Amino acid sequence: MKIMKPISRALRRPEQVFPTRMTLGVMKGKLKGAQTGHSLLKRKSEALTKRFRDITKRIDDAKRKMGRVMQTAAFSLAEVSYATGGNIGFQVQESISNNARFKVKARQENVSGVYLPQFEADINESINDFRMTGLGRGGQQVQRAREVYSKAVETLVDLASLQTAFVILDDVIKVTNRRVNAIEHVIIPRTENTIAYINSELDELDREEFYRLKKVQEKKQIATAAADAEMAAKKLREEAERLNELEKHETEDVEKLVVKSEEDKEDKGEADQEKTVDTTELVAETEGDVIF
Amino acid sequence: MASEAAKNRTILACMGDEDTITGMLLAGIGQVTNEPGKERNFQICTDDTKSEELLAKFEEFTTRDDIAILLINQHLADVIRLEVDSFTAPFPAILEIPSKDHPYDPEKDSVLRRVRRLFGDS
Amino acid sequence: MADTSRGWSADTRTRLSHYGNFLADINQTLSTSVIEQKLNKKLIEDFNYIKSQATYPLSKFMDYITYSYMIDNILLIITGTIHNRDKGEILKKCNPLGWFDTLPTLSITTDLNSLYETVLIDTPLAKYFHNCLSIDDLDDLNIEIIRNILYKEYLEDFYKFCLAELPNPTDEIMERLLSFEADKRTINICINSLDTDLSSDEKLKMLPSIGLLASNDAIKYQLSELSDLENLKILMSSVGPYKDFFNDSTSAGATSKSLEDSFYEYEMNLNRNAFTQQFTYSTIWAFIKSKEQEIRNITWISECIAQNQKDKINNYISVY
């Protein structure tokens, strides 16, 4: 129905929020709300538009009908001038009293929450300012013209109701469609973007956390390795002592052996460190329970 | 919203040539009071009536708070077409009506043109 | 519409050759009101031409003819004064046939009192006002009642004048014409006042005391007491010339031939017959009235053409 202007990218930017798990929950709720609202408003707009089309069609018909009715009415006035032989306009104008005979009442009609006024002719039959008009001649024609015009004005009143409904509906439909479009093209994308942003931020946090834990793990490993080495050394020493006792002549050799094994340990630690960085996945698998 | 305003709007107003006014008055829409600004709810406009006068009356009738419907001869509405076109408030409802010498032309009607604009040509 | 209107305006221009070039200088789209205006102008010119040549008693006779239009004009001014309207506007609406020299002076009066004084002193209608209306009546009574009271006075006065001052064939013809005029008003007033709350006394005040209906007191009284159209029909069926009028007009104005039409037709027949007598003043009256009818007919026909109601175009009165 209308051509949409391209919506500025800026409108869809994520909102400025703290990327926390709680905000994520709020945003997810908001998205859901927006989607429900969107479908509701869309349905309202459709209902109104249906009514609107109906009314516009009736306006078209009524306007054409009015043309004919008014012509008949004008003709009845011609009959009056034929009968009275003159113009009664001035007399008529001057006999107007301070209370109109023909008034309208406004009734309300509710269409999808929109109040449409419905005018109704409210004729006070007790008021007749023209009872005397044309007393001498043409009185019957005057009264007849009066009736014809009353009918004509009733048609006009109906038409006015339609027209007012048209104007109001036009307005409401515009507003509703604007809302539908805003939700569809701004609010929903923006909320989605916000959720994506929060998710990415949370992922990022997770990765940082993981790295930190990794680091802690590594330190622990080094410490464990050192402890192991010491234990091994201790064992070796004990072994050596035992051997010493068994083979006292081999003391020198044993001392050499201890020194060598310590050097080996240091080399192995460096290699381990390099390996951790490369094999994060492997470690993550093996030590998944620590992190998650 | 508009519904509240509609309650107090009970009378019709009319701007037109003498015959149209006479007819409308016969139907009984006329009301003459002493209240300032609301003396008469009808105005006879001839071919000599200047557009400023038409405009002033149009303003007067559209701003009065007791008028529900304003009837105006189409040939007069043509003179102040811009103002009629740009009057979009729901109240009072403005109806363009034919006069004896100027038959009704749907192509000129402000509201019908809006209808057409919205739906193409239906 | 524009096409048809141009079409028929050209048509009307050529067909109404009797009126000479009366429509020749109209540039704008020809509308019914313009035609009517021009026709009336022509009638007034004719009338004034004859009047300027007239000597007594014709001049007086023609004065009397203008009095009926004066009544309308004065009432126009009275209405205007009551509602404080712009007098210049009202003067423009006055019928030129009922114009008299002091009419503009009437229009400068501002209140009813001075208006009443002026009417009593300055206008040819003074005697009618003097006889039947007081200053209070102007204020209290409906303008239509005043109009009809004045008209009654006028008819009676005219009638007296005709019988007293005019030579033989004229007075007879005028008696017929004026009697019918009076009867027509009587019937109309009775019908049109059926729905109103006028008392029979008030009605009696408006009913002329001349004419066929008035000559019979019983009928006149019954007329003023009428309560519905049926009774009127029954009453009228006893009155010779008028009994046919009500046969085909079943309800007010609903049939193709209304009561009003019957009246007009009868009146026109009387007028036509008035021409059959030679050397009478009544010819002038008949001429004016026939011309008026002609104007109405032309207006009617133009109206029918302008408004696409061609099926009703023949509903005019033609007797010649």
Side-chain angles (χ1 to χ4, degrees):
Chain A
M1 192 155 102
K2 266 182 302 256
I3 299 159
M4 292 294 306
K5 269 190 297 184
I7 292 172
S8 154
R9 200 164 287 277
L11 279 174
R12 302 188 190 182
R13 259 183 215 143
E15 293 164 69
Q16 298 288 309
V17 288
F18 277 119
T20 61
R21 242 161 251 292
M22 197 179 87
T23 327
L24 182 67
V26 170
M27 279 301 145
K28 279 186 173 162
K30 192 173 168 186
L31 181 63
K32 190 139 177 107
Q35 279 160 347
T36 320
H38 177 254
S39 82
L40 277 176
L41 279 177
K42 190 127 197 167
R43 258 186 284 164
K44 174 179 175 179
S45 161
E46 273 159 15
L48 291 179
T49 310
K50 185 165 174 290
R51 178 67 180 227
F52 188 64
R53 282 176 182 277
D54 179 45
I55 281 175
T56 43
K57 193 172 158 343
R58 273 160 65 197
I59 285 187
D60 222 53
D61 294 346
K63 288 252 176 193
R64 281 166 213 286
K65 186 179 159 206
M66 173 194 76
R68 290 196 301 276
V69 169
M70 288 303 291
Q71 201 172 48
T72 325
F75 195 69
S76 77
L77 202 59
E79 285 178 338
V80 171
S81 15
Y82 183 75
T84 57
N87 198 330
I88 61 163
F90 188 74
Q91 271 167 279
V92 166
Q93 283 166 51
E94 297 306 336
S95 356
I96 301 300
S97 66
N98 61 4
N99 202 358
R101 181 181 89 99
F102 200 113
K103 291 188 182 185
V104 290
K105 266 192 304 206
R107 200 163 49 81
Q108 303 288 339
E109 200 194 350
N110 191 338
V111 179
S112 313
V114 182
Y115 285 100
L116 299 179
Q118 194 86 32
F119 294 122
E120 271 173 16
D122 181 14
I123 300 175
N124 187 343
E125 287 296 351
S126 65
I127 301 175
N128 185 353
D129 297 333
F130 315 108
R131 209 163 279 160
M132 301 289 183
T133 311
L135 190 60
R137 64 206 256 201
Q140 296 154 66
Q141 278 78 3
V142 170
Q143 298 307 325
R144 212 161 73 88
R146 218 192 78 186
E147 280 159 28
V148 175
Y149 263 99
S150 289
K151 288 262 155 42
V153 178
E154 277 175 43
T155 327
L156 293 180
V157 168
D158 288 346
L159 183 52
S161 306
L162 288 177
Q163 201 177 296
T164 312
F166 168 82
V167 174
I168 292 178
L169 274 183
D170 187 31
D171 225 40
V172 173
I173 288 177
K174 265 188 202 141
V175 169
T176 313
N177 281 343
R178 211 174 296 144
R179 279 189 195 143
V180 169
N181 287 328
I183 290 177
E184 190 177 321
H185 297 283
V186 176
I187 295 185
I188 290 183
R190 190 168 60 189
T191 314
E192 280 169 353
N193 286 348
T194 312
I195 290 173
Y197 160 74
I198 294 174
N199 274 336
S200 74
E201 284 296 297
L202 285 180
D203 284 355
E204 185 66 24
L205 277 179
D206 286 347
R207 274 194 294 277
E208 271 171 30
E209 180 72 3
F210 173 67
Y211 181 73
R212 195 177 62 82
L213 288 172
K214 209 66 235 134
K215 207 71 181 156
V216 170
Q217 194 95 27
E218 190 186 291
K219 286 269 193 265
K220 272 184 186 163
Q221 261 180 354
I222 293 170
T224 326
D228 282 356
E230 207 156 312
M231 286 283 261
K234 209 174 165 186
K235 264 186 192 160
L236 278 175
R237 250 194 325 266
E238 280 167 9
E239 188 79 0
E241 271 171 31
R242 202 169 48 87
L243 285 172
N244 235 357
E245 275 171 36
L246 294 173
E247 300 168 39
K248 279 182 184 173
H249 62 277
E250 281 181 342
T251 321
E252 262 187 4
D253 285 353
V254 172
E255 274 173 6
K256 266 182 200 168
L257 188 70
V258 172
V259 172
K260 200 178 178 241
S261 79
E262 270 178 356
E263 276 171 2
D264 276 355
K265 253 313 113 107
E266 270 173 25
D267 283 350
K268 203 186 171 201
E270 273 169 29
D272 260 4
Q273 212 170 317
E274 278 166 18
K275 210 176 173 187
T276 349
V277 181
D278 294 339
T279 58
T280 320
E281 264 176 48
L282 190 71
V283 177
E285 250 173 57
T286 50
E287 293 176 3
D289 54 333
V290 180
I291 295 165
F292 295 104
Chain B
M1 33 172 241
S3 54
E4 289 308 308
K7 282 273 184 288
N8 302 320
R9 295 178 179 269
T10 54
I11 64 169
L12 296 93
C14 186
M15 291 168 72
D17 61 12
E18 182 156 12
D19 278 350
T20 309
I21 296 285
T22 307
M24 289 303 151
L25 293 182
L26 279 177
I29 69 159
Q31 180 161 307
V32 180
T33 64
N34 294 323
E35 206 177 325
K38 297 182 179 179
E39 286 91 355
R40 296 166 118 202
N41 62 345
F42 54 93
Q43 180 65 36
I44 291 183
C45 305
T46 59
D47 291 339
D48 302 330
T49 312
K50 293 185 185 64
S51 62
E52 297 89 61
E53 295 169 55
L54 285 178
L55 211 51
K57 268 290 159 196
F58 185 75
E59 292 274 307
E60 184 196 319
F61 286 145
T62 46
T63 46
R64 266 177 70 166
D65 59 2
D66 56 344
I67 290 177
I69 303 170
L70 170 59
L71 307 171
I72 180 168
N73 271 156
Q74 196 173 38
H75 69 278
L76 297 175
D78 280 344
V79 180
I80 50 169
R81 179 55 68 196
L82 183 66
E83 281 70 21
V84 178
D85 272 347
S86 50
F87 184 86
T88 49
F91 296 103
I94 296 185
L95 278 189
E96 290 174 34
I97 56 173
S99 65
K100 202 181 73 182
D101 299 331
H102 303 81
Y104 184 67
D105 180 4
E107 301 307 317
K108 289 181 184 163
D109 192 293
S110 283
V111 171
L112 272 188
R113 282 208 316 227
R114 263 174 85 181
V115 172
R116 295 260 154 74
R117 257 207 310 280
L118 285 175
F119 291 113
D121 206 2
S122 53
Chain C
M1 167 62 206
D3 283 344
T4 55
S5 90
R6 234 175 285 126
W8 71 261
S9 63
D11 233 26
T12 323
R13 269 180 205 161
T14 47
R15 301 256 169 117
L16 296 174
S17 52
H18 172 64
Y19 281 92
N21 296 329
F22 90 116
L23 288 173
D25 52 346
I26 307 293
N27 291 323
Q28 79 224 60
T29 318
L30 192 56
S31 72
T32 314
S33 42
V34 174
I35 296 179
E36 194 181 357
Q37 238 174 334
K38 292 283 168 184
L39 291 170
N40 274 324
K41 203 172 145 219
K42 175 86 171 114
L43 169 66
I44 291 153
E45 279 167 10
D46 287 352
F47 184 82
N48 286 339
Y49 175 74
I50 300 171
K51 200 175 169 203
S52 63
Q53 322 241 349
T55 53
Y56 189 85
L58 177 60
S59 59
K60 185 76 182 159
F61 179 75
M62 291 183 79
D63 277 345
Y64 266 107
I65 293 178
T66 62
Y67 286 171
S68 69
Y69 303 100
M70 283 185 200
I71 293 179
D72 285 340
N73 288 350
I74 284 180
L75 284 171
L76 214 54
I77 303 251
I78 293 177
T79 329
T81 311
I82 293 174
H83 293 97
N84 291 321
R85 294 283 172 256
D86 178 19
K87 298 302 190 315
E89 284 289 302
I90 297 174
L91 279 182
K92 267 188 253 165
K93 291 178 195 289
C94 286
N95 190 330
L97 270 184
W99 189 268
F100 50 95
D101 294 340
T102 49
L103 191 64
T105 58
L106 277 185
S107 69
I108 50 171
T109 57
T110 48
D111 62 300
L112 275 181
N113 263 332
S114 55
L115 183 68
Y116 187 72
E117 299 295 326
T118 330
V119 170
L120 272 183
I121 296 161
D122 278 351
T123 71
L125 302 178
K127 50 192 168 191
Y128 308 138
F129 272 89
H130 188 69
N131 281 353
C132 60
L133 291 164
S134 71
I135 172 83
D136 297 331
D137 289 342
L138 282 190
D139 222 356
D140 298 342
L141 286 178
N142 188 296
I143 201 79
E144 288 299 316
I145 299 179
I146 299 176
R147 184 194 308 277
N148 286 299
I149 292 177
L150 286 178
Y151 213 90
K152 164 194 177 250
E153 293 288 324
Y154 153 73
L155 274 180
E156 288 166 6
D157 191 42
F158 195 7
Y159 187 74
K160 255 188 285 177
F161 166 80
C162 289
L163 293 191
E165 305 283 331
L166 298 179
N168 182 277
T170 304
D171 61 353
E172 271 175 29
I173 297 167
M174 283 314 291
E175 187 192 349
R176 265 204 302 278
L177 286 167
L178 289 177
S179 296
F180 174 71
E181 182 71 22
D183 288 343
K184 189 176 87 176
R185 290 195 81 81
T186 306
I187 296 173
N188 264 328
I189 290 172
C190 288
I191 294 178
N192 293 329
S193 61
L194 285 178
D195 291 334
T196 63
D197 41 14
L198 285 177
S199 70
S200 55
D201 279 350
E202 281 170 313
K203 284 189 205 169
L204 277 177
K205 247 166 100 182
M206 289 186 280
L207 304 183
S209 59
I210 54 170
L212 207 58
L213 297 172
S215 61
N216 187 332
D217 275 347
I219 291 182
K220 192 180 175 187
Y221 180 73
Q222 276 176 308
L223 274 174
S224 70
E225 291 280 313
L226 277 178
S227 57
D228 62 54
L229 203 60
E230 285 308 309
N231 286 339
L232 181 75
K233 278 184 196 166
I234 297 166
L235 199 58
M236 283 300 122
S237 59
S238 64
V239 185
Y242 308 138
K243 66 174 178 244
D244 291 338
F245 291 2
F246 292 90
N247 288 342
D248 41 19
S249 59
T250 43
S251 66
T255 50
S256 59
K257 194 176 180 187
S258 69
L259 180 61
E260 208 76 36
D261 291 340
S262 310
F263 278 140
Y264 276 135
E265 195 171 349
Y266 191 80
E267 185 181 343
M268 284 306 119
N269 274 320
L270 286 180
N271 282 328
R272 188 186 53 188
N273 294 339
F275 284 120
T276 55
Q277 286 279 359
Q278 290 181 353
F279 309 115
T280 64
Y281 297 123
S282 55
T283 315
I284 308 283
W285 167 279
F287 170 72
I288 300 293
K289 292 290 162 189
S290 304
K291 271 289 181 205
E292 278 189 338
Q293 182 62 39
E294 183 173 63
I295 291 172
R296 272 200 296 271
N297 286 344
I298 293 173
T299 314
W300 175 256
I301 293 169
S302 338
E303 201 83 62
C304 287
I305 298 169
Q307 303 194 30
N308 273 328
Q309 300 267 359
K310 299 204 174 155
D311 49 330
K312 291 188 182 160
I313 207 164
N314 290 322
N315 290 1
Y316 60 88
I317 311 299
S318 154
V319 291
Y320 293 105

